[in-house]
Short mmCIF file of all heavy atoms in Angstrom, two decimals:
data_model
loop_
_atom_site.label_atom_id
_atom_site.label_comp_id
_atom_site.label_asym_id
_atom_site.label_seq_id
_atom_site.Cartn_x
_atom_site.Cartn_y
_atom_site.Cartn_z
N ILE A 1 -167.50 -36.93 22.64
CA ILE A 1 -166.45 -36.21 23.37
C ILE A 1 -165.32 -35.80 22.44
O ILE A 1 -164.83 -34.66 22.49
CB ILE A 1 -165.93 -37.06 24.55
CG1 ILE A 1 -167.04 -37.26 25.59
CG2 ILE A 1 -164.71 -36.41 25.19
CD1 ILE A 1 -166.70 -38.27 26.68
N ASP A 2 -164.90 -36.70 21.57
CA ASP A 2 -163.84 -36.39 20.61
C ASP A 2 -164.25 -35.26 19.66
O ASP A 2 -163.44 -34.41 19.30
CB ASP A 2 -163.46 -37.63 19.81
CG ASP A 2 -162.73 -38.68 20.64
OD1 ASP A 2 -162.22 -38.33 21.72
OD2 ASP A 2 -162.68 -39.85 20.20
N PHE A 3 -165.51 -35.26 19.27
CA PHE A 3 -166.01 -34.24 18.36
C PHE A 3 -165.93 -32.84 18.97
O PHE A 3 -165.79 -31.85 18.25
CB PHE A 3 -167.45 -34.55 17.94
CG PHE A 3 -167.99 -33.64 16.87
CD1 PHE A 3 -167.75 -33.90 15.53
CD2 PHE A 3 -168.73 -32.51 17.20
CE1 PHE A 3 -168.23 -33.06 14.55
CE2 PHE A 3 -169.22 -31.66 16.22
CZ PHE A 3 -168.97 -31.93 14.89
N SER A 4 -165.99 -32.76 20.28
CA SER A 4 -165.98 -31.46 20.96
C SER A 4 -164.63 -30.76 20.93
O SER A 4 -164.52 -29.57 21.26
CB SER A 4 -166.43 -31.63 22.41
OG SER A 4 -165.41 -32.22 23.21
N ASP A 5 -163.57 -31.49 20.56
CA ASP A 5 -162.22 -30.90 20.48
C ASP A 5 -161.80 -30.22 21.77
O ASP A 5 -161.28 -29.09 21.76
CB ASP A 5 -162.12 -29.91 19.31
CG ASP A 5 -162.15 -30.59 17.96
OD1 ASP A 5 -161.80 -31.79 17.87
OD2 ASP A 5 -162.54 -29.93 16.97
N GLY A 6 -162.07 -30.87 22.89
CA GLY A 6 -161.63 -30.34 24.18
C GLY A 6 -162.60 -29.39 24.85
O GLY A 6 -162.32 -28.90 25.95
N ALA A 7 -163.75 -29.12 24.21
CA ALA A 7 -164.72 -28.20 24.79
C ALA A 7 -165.84 -28.93 25.53
O ALA A 7 -166.89 -28.34 25.81
CB ALA A 7 -165.31 -27.30 23.70
N TRP A 8 -165.65 -30.22 25.81
CA TRP A 8 -166.68 -30.99 26.47
C TRP A 8 -166.96 -30.44 27.88
O TRP A 8 -166.05 -30.15 28.63
CB TRP A 8 -166.28 -32.45 26.59
CG TRP A 8 -167.45 -33.29 27.04
CD1 TRP A 8 -167.74 -33.69 28.30
CD2 TRP A 8 -168.51 -33.76 26.23
NE1 TRP A 8 -168.92 -34.39 28.33
CE2 TRP A 8 -169.41 -34.46 27.06
CE3 TRP A 8 -168.79 -33.67 24.87
CZ2 TRP A 8 -170.57 -35.05 26.58
CZ3 TRP A 8 -169.95 -34.26 24.39
CH2 TRP A 8 -170.81 -34.95 25.24
N GLY A 9 -168.24 -30.32 28.21
CA GLY A 9 -168.62 -29.77 29.49
C GLY A 9 -168.70 -28.26 29.50
O GLY A 9 -169.24 -27.66 30.43
N ASP A 10 -168.19 -27.63 28.46
CA ASP A 10 -168.24 -26.19 28.33
C ASP A 10 -169.34 -25.81 27.35
O ASP A 10 -170.40 -25.29 27.74
CB ASP A 10 -166.89 -25.65 27.87
CG ASP A 10 -166.87 -24.13 27.75
OD1 ASP A 10 -167.78 -23.46 28.28
OD2 ASP A 10 -165.93 -23.62 27.12
N THR A 11 -169.11 -26.12 26.07
CA THR A 11 -170.12 -25.84 25.05
C THR A 11 -170.69 -27.11 24.42
O THR A 11 -171.58 -27.04 23.59
CB THR A 11 -169.54 -24.93 23.95
OG1 THR A 11 -168.31 -25.49 23.47
CG2 THR A 11 -169.28 -23.54 24.49
N PHE A 12 -170.16 -28.25 24.80
CA PHE A 12 -170.67 -29.54 24.33
C PHE A 12 -171.13 -30.36 25.53
O PHE A 12 -170.43 -30.43 26.55
CB PHE A 12 -169.61 -30.32 23.56
CG PHE A 12 -169.31 -29.76 22.20
CD1 PHE A 12 -168.43 -28.70 22.04
CD2 PHE A 12 -169.91 -30.30 21.06
CE1 PHE A 12 -168.15 -28.18 20.79
CE2 PHE A 12 -169.63 -29.79 19.81
CZ PHE A 12 -168.75 -28.73 19.68
N HIS A 13 -172.30 -30.98 25.39
CA HIS A 13 -172.87 -31.74 26.50
C HIS A 13 -173.59 -32.97 25.96
O HIS A 13 -173.82 -33.12 24.76
CB HIS A 13 -173.88 -30.89 27.29
CG HIS A 13 -173.37 -29.54 27.66
ND1 HIS A 13 -172.65 -29.30 28.81
CD2 HIS A 13 -173.48 -28.34 27.03
CE1 HIS A 13 -172.34 -28.02 28.86
NE2 HIS A 13 -172.83 -27.41 27.81
N VAL A 14 -173.98 -33.85 26.88
CA VAL A 14 -174.87 -34.95 26.56
C VAL A 14 -176.05 -34.87 27.52
O VAL A 14 -175.86 -34.58 28.71
CB VAL A 14 -174.17 -36.32 26.63
CG1 VAL A 14 -173.77 -36.65 28.05
CG2 VAL A 14 -175.07 -37.43 26.07
N SER A 15 -177.25 -35.03 26.99
CA SER A 15 -178.40 -35.02 27.87
C SER A 15 -178.41 -36.28 28.71
O SER A 15 -177.72 -37.26 28.40
CB SER A 15 -179.70 -34.95 27.06
OG SER A 15 -179.94 -36.19 26.41
N TRP A 16 -179.16 -36.27 29.82
CA TRP A 16 -179.31 -37.50 30.58
C TRP A 16 -179.87 -38.56 29.63
O TRP A 16 -180.87 -38.37 28.97
CB TRP A 16 -180.17 -37.31 31.82
CG TRP A 16 -181.48 -36.61 31.61
CD1 TRP A 16 -181.67 -35.27 31.42
CD2 TRP A 16 -182.78 -37.19 31.63
NE1 TRP A 16 -183.01 -34.99 31.27
CE2 TRP A 16 -183.72 -36.14 31.41
CE3 TRP A 16 -183.26 -38.47 31.79
CZ2 TRP A 16 -185.09 -36.34 31.35
CZ3 TRP A 16 -184.63 -38.68 31.74
CH2 TRP A 16 -185.53 -37.63 31.52
N MET A 17 -179.13 -39.64 29.55
CA MET A 17 -179.40 -40.65 28.53
C MET A 17 -180.60 -41.50 28.90
O MET A 17 -180.52 -42.39 29.75
CB MET A 17 -178.15 -41.50 28.32
CG MET A 17 -176.98 -40.69 27.76
SD MET A 17 -175.45 -41.62 27.75
CE MET A 17 -175.05 -41.60 29.50
N SER A 18 -181.71 -41.24 28.25
CA SER A 18 -182.94 -41.92 28.60
C SER A 18 -183.05 -43.27 27.89
O SER A 18 -182.75 -43.39 26.70
CB SER A 18 -184.15 -41.06 28.25
OG SER A 18 -184.15 -40.70 26.89
N GLN A 19 -183.45 -44.25 28.64
CA GLN A 19 -183.70 -45.58 28.07
C GLN A 19 -185.06 -45.55 27.39
O GLN A 19 -186.05 -45.09 27.95
CB GLN A 19 -183.67 -46.63 29.18
CG GLN A 19 -183.80 -48.06 28.70
CD GLN A 19 -183.75 -49.05 29.86
OE1 GLN A 19 -183.34 -48.69 30.97
NE2 GLN A 19 -184.15 -50.29 29.65
N VAL A 20 -185.14 -46.05 26.16
CA VAL A 20 -186.40 -46.10 25.43
C VAL A 20 -187.31 -47.15 26.06
O VAL A 20 -186.95 -48.33 26.14
CB VAL A 20 -186.17 -46.43 23.94
CG1 VAL A 20 -187.50 -46.64 23.23
CG2 VAL A 20 -185.38 -45.30 23.26
N TRP A 21 -188.50 -46.73 26.50
CA TRP A 21 -189.45 -47.65 27.12
C TRP A 21 -190.49 -48.15 26.11
O TRP A 21 -190.92 -49.30 26.18
CB TRP A 21 -190.15 -46.98 28.31
CG TRP A 21 -189.20 -46.55 29.38
CD1 TRP A 21 -188.79 -45.29 29.65
CD2 TRP A 21 -188.50 -47.39 30.30
NE1 TRP A 21 -187.88 -45.27 30.69
CE2 TRP A 21 -187.69 -46.56 31.11
CE3 TRP A 21 -188.48 -48.76 30.54
CZ2 TRP A 21 -186.87 -47.04 32.13
CZ3 TRP A 21 -187.67 -49.26 31.54
CH2 TRP A 21 -186.88 -48.39 32.33
N TYR A 22 -190.92 -47.26 25.22
CA TYR A 22 -191.91 -47.62 24.21
C TYR A 22 -191.47 -47.10 22.85
O TYR A 22 -190.89 -46.02 22.76
CB TYR A 22 -193.28 -47.04 24.57
CG TYR A 22 -193.87 -47.64 25.82
CD1 TYR A 22 -193.77 -46.98 27.03
CD2 TYR A 22 -194.52 -48.86 25.77
CE1 TYR A 22 -194.30 -47.53 28.18
CE2 TYR A 22 -195.07 -49.42 26.92
CZ TYR A 22 -194.96 -48.75 28.12
OH TYR A 22 -195.48 -49.30 29.27
N PRO A 23 -191.74 -47.89 21.78
CA PRO A 23 -192.35 -49.22 21.82
C PRO A 23 -191.46 -50.23 22.55
O PRO A 23 -190.23 -50.13 22.52
CB PRO A 23 -192.51 -49.59 20.34
CG PRO A 23 -191.55 -48.72 19.62
CD PRO A 23 -191.38 -47.48 20.42
N ARG A 24 -192.10 -51.20 23.18
CA ARG A 24 -191.39 -52.10 24.10
C ARG A 24 -190.33 -52.95 23.40
O ARG A 24 -189.36 -53.35 24.05
CB ARG A 24 -192.39 -52.98 24.84
CG ARG A 24 -193.32 -52.19 25.76
CD ARG A 24 -194.27 -53.09 26.50
NE ARG A 24 -193.60 -53.82 27.57
CZ ARG A 24 -194.11 -54.85 28.21
NH1 ARG A 24 -195.29 -55.32 27.85
NH2 ARG A 24 -193.45 -55.47 29.17
N ILE A 25 -190.50 -53.25 22.11
CA ILE A 25 -189.49 -54.05 21.42
C ILE A 25 -188.17 -53.29 21.26
O ILE A 25 -187.14 -53.90 20.97
CB ILE A 25 -189.97 -54.53 20.04
CG1 ILE A 25 -190.31 -53.34 19.12
CG2 ILE A 25 -191.12 -55.50 20.17
CD1 ILE A 25 -190.54 -53.73 17.67
N CYS A 26 -188.20 -51.97 21.45
CA CYS A 26 -186.96 -51.19 21.38
C CYS A 26 -186.20 -51.18 22.69
O CYS A 26 -185.01 -50.85 22.72
CB CYS A 26 -187.27 -49.75 20.95
SG CYS A 26 -187.75 -49.59 19.23
#
């Protein structure tokens, strides 16, 4: 968010944060 310099939600986004399922130790 800080890196976006106020443009968050406009030209900067985050994808839906997926939990790593495999490999299972991760």
Side-chain angles (χ1 to χ4, degrees):
I1 295 171
D2 290 342
F3 187 85
S4 75
D5 290 336
W8 190 264
D10 182 15
T11 52
F12 288 83
H13 311 273
V14 66
S15 72
W16 49 284
M17 295 171 286
S18 57
Q19 185 179 345
V20 174
W21 300 105
Y22 294 99
R24 295 181 74 193
I25 60 169
C26 289

